[in-house]
Amino acid sequence: YGYRYEVGDAYKFGDETEGSSDSSPGFGAGYQFLRSTSHKLAVTYDRKSANYQTLEEVEGQDVIDSFGLRFNWGLLALKAGWSSHKLEENGTSNHDGGAFTGIGFDIYIGRFSFYMDITDHYLEDRKQHIAGGDFGFRVSFGDVN
């Protein structure tokens, strides 16, 4: 569940575009391939949809696909990878992509965890950033002990 994605000037669809003040729903999956009592490392895939808008109306949409690594050290989480953006305005599609980085935390309770992240997407074609926060729940499968 993404919230408050802010856009740089190059990503504004109109003069008054402020970003995404409504929700940006999404889903993700990952594979944790390294685990100890103090840290975890996983490869992840996430997809979310964000609407960029003025105070009154939606002006365009962004579908964000992200591939990367997530490193947990205790509650602290660091992530980095590549994101692809499909920006649509009035039926016209534009694509852009670039590296992303993020920081957050995870609270684990058995197979479940609650997470909060702040992510910055650097998009190369326009040399601008899209940044925002995400929070949600994860479920782990397999041995979690």
Side-chain angles (χ1 to χ4, degrees):
Y1 186 85
Y3 186 65
R4 297 292 312 173
Y5 270 76
E6 298 295 333
V7 294
D9 286 342
Y11 288 95
K12 292 186 175 182
F13 291 99
D15 293 339
E16 303 299 320
T17 307
E18 296 198 349
S20 177
S21 61
D22 61 352
S23 63
S24 304
F27 67 90
Y31 178 73
Q32 183 175 294
F33 59 90
L34 178 65
R35 184 178 196 281
S36 76
T37 56
S38 63
H39 59 273
K40 301 172 177 67
L41 183 62
V43 60
T44 62
Y45 165 75
D46 295 286
R47 174 171 246 202
K48 68 175 59 76
S49 174
N51 291 323
Y52 301 131
Q53 62 196 53
T54 65
L55 288 174
E56 289 87 28
E57 65 180 331
V58 171
E59 293 185 325
Q61 185 179 37
D62 185 6
V63 176
I64 306 167
D65 288 302
S66 301
F67 302 89
L69 292 174
R70 183 178 188 86
F71 176 73
N72 288 83
W73 184 45
L75 295 178
L76 178 67
L78 301 173
K79 64 182 187 174
W82 180 264
S83 61
S84 170
H85 295 251
K86 181 182 176 187
L87 301 148
E88 283 195 18
E89 178 187 15
N90 298 327
T92 303
S93 292
N94 296 300
H95 291 83
D96 204 347
F100 75 86
T101 56
I103 188 168
F105 69 87
D106 292 88
I107 298 172
Y108 291 91
I109 303 169
R111 293 188 179 281
F112 301 95
S113 69
F114 171 76
Y115 72 93
M116 293 186 75
D117 293 332
I118 296 173
T119 307
D120 179 42
H121 299 269
Y122 177 79
L123 302 183
E124 294 179 342
D125 285 354
R126 303 177 199 187
K127 295 180 174 42
Q128 291 286 328
H129 295 256
I130 295 175
D134 300 295
F135 65 92
F137 294 96
R138 290 194 177 90
V139 178
S140 298
F141 301 96
D143 183 15
V144 295
N145 295 322

